[in-house]
Amino acid sequence: ALLWVCLGACTAGERADDEKARPGTASSGAATSNDRRAIKEMVVPALLDGQTITIDGKMDEPAWQNAASSGEFVDVGTGVPNPRSLIQGRVRLLWDDAFMYVAFDVKDANVRGGFPTDAKDPHLWERDTVEVMIDPDGDGDNKDYYEVQINPQHLVFDSQFDDYNKPRGGPNGPFGHEEWSAALESAVVVQGTIDNDADKDEGYVVEAKIPWASFTKAGKVPPSPGSFWRMNFYAMQNNGGVAWSPILGMGNFHKATRFGRVRWQR
């Protein structure tokens, strides 16, 4: 999932180990080197008694207003907002005893799909998609982690990895254990027209809930209140993108030591 070099060229997510901002997309911002290197943390509240989330791509339930929010994503290579990026995004998180709820709001003036509608684990990172990386142990060791992508066509790529980008079947995959399924429920709403260069789009919203039971490698599900997992979130276009937690050239998009800490709170 990637800043300029990635799957297909690397692997399901193998993004160049020396990731840098793409030429001509200089970032702005006054963040110091220490600010950028600091591991981000998000405290995620549980749904209150009686609250429900309908997965319809609208994010109009009151619960979403109190959800954890990433704020604006940053340039993967520099760690600061990039006003020249062709896409932007942010994510919200909630949870209960059965599910993790995630909602992306992506700004994109030219929304791309382009995959067969019946594609199984297509290489969504090659066009437009959102991505969640999940390391349940919280130690950032890249052991037993998960990757989930959902694109504007409502197609899904999901896989489980034993170690950093492993197993790997070659430049065209398979990438990780693609037989693993997140068993998620999701919905996508596009503000615009997919694959139509004649109009200007606004972007798209992806809303999903993932059963805790899908994370078979996790030590404990649902997570204990107060514990944390390591996770990262990306909005992508053409093997590039923006992220919640920047990688800063320390590895590719699978580098769990650069994932943020997501703390589950009651």
Side-chain angles (χ1 to χ4, degrees):
L2 0 160
L3 191 56
W4 64 271
V5 181
C6 160
L7 301 221
C10 302
T11 88
E14 195 165 294
R15 297 69 167 169
D17 283 346
D18 61 347
E19 278 179 317
K20 301 175 182 177
R22 286 172 290 173
T25 58
S27 298
S28 64
T32 67
S33 176
N34 286 340
D35 289 339
R36 296 194 303 270
R37 288 174 178 265
I39 299 300
K40 293 189 176 182
E41 184 166 324
M42 187 186 304
V43 179
V44 181
L47 285 176
L48 301 177
D49 290 343
Q51 287 186 327
T52 59
I53 296 290
T54 299
I55 303 300
D56 56 9
K58 296 179 181 179
M59 283 195 296
D60 53 2
E61 294 85 2
W64 281 123
Q65 303 308 310
N66 298 318
S69 177
S70 64
E72 184 177 350
F73 287 173
V74 297
D75 187 289
V76 176
T78 66
V80 295
N82 185 348
R84 298 185 184 182
S85 175
L86 297 177
I87 55 171
Q88 187 43 262
R90 57 183 64 218
V91 70
R92 297 180 191 180
L93 284 180
L94 289 164
W95 69 294
D96 60 22
D97 286 341
F99 299 98
M100 173 173 62
Y101 301 86
V102 56
F104 285 86
D105 185 3
V106 178
K107 303 304 180 188
D108 184 347
N110 191 11
V111 178
R112 290 288 188 187
F115 293 96
T117 57
D118 60 349
K120 171 64 175 175
D121 282 326
H123 298 178
L124 301 180
W125 54 87
E126 295 175 354
R127 296 186 180 88
D128 290 348
T129 192
V130 297
E131 177 180 48
V132 185
M133 302 295 291
I134 306 162
D135 186 351
D137 292 340
D139 52 14
D141 66 354
N142 266 123
K143 306 291 186 182
D144 299 328
Y145 67 98
Y146 302 85
E147 177 176 17
V148 178
Q149 298 187 25
I150 305 170
N151 86 333
Q153 295 174 269
H154 200 196
L155 295 175
V156 175
F157 173 92
D158 48 10
S159 190
Q160 182 266 319
F161 294 80
D162 299 333
D163 207 336
Y164 188 41
N165 295 300
K166 296 177 181 178
R168 171 182 176 177
N172 296 314
F175 304 118
H177 297 287
E178 292 186 11
E179 68 276 11
W180 176 78
S181 172
L184 57 79
E185 179 184 345
S186 59
V188 181
V189 172
V190 177
Q191 293 98 31
T193 310
I194 298 179
D195 296 327
N196 183 359
D197 293 337
D199 68 351
K200 183 177 181 180
D201 304 321
E202 295 182 17
Y204 59 101
V205 171
V206 175
E207 195 176 27
K209 65 179 184 181
I210 306 176
W212 294 118
S214 296
F215 301 111
T216 54
K217 300 288 186 177
K220 185 180 187 304
V221 291
S224 299
S227 66
F228 65 84
W229 289 16
R230 296 295 285 269
M231 298 178 64
N232 213 352
F233 307 92
Y234 305 93
M236 297 169 48
Q237 184 177 82
N238 301 334
N239 287 349
V242 288
W244 173 44
S245 182
I247 305 302
L248 304 178
M250 298 180 189
N252 62 42
F253 279 32
H254 284 222
K255 194 67 172 179
T257 55
R258 290 301 309 161
F259 294 176
R261 294 186 176 94
V262 171
R263 191 174 300 276
W264 310 103
Q265 177 177 279
R266 286 287 187 189

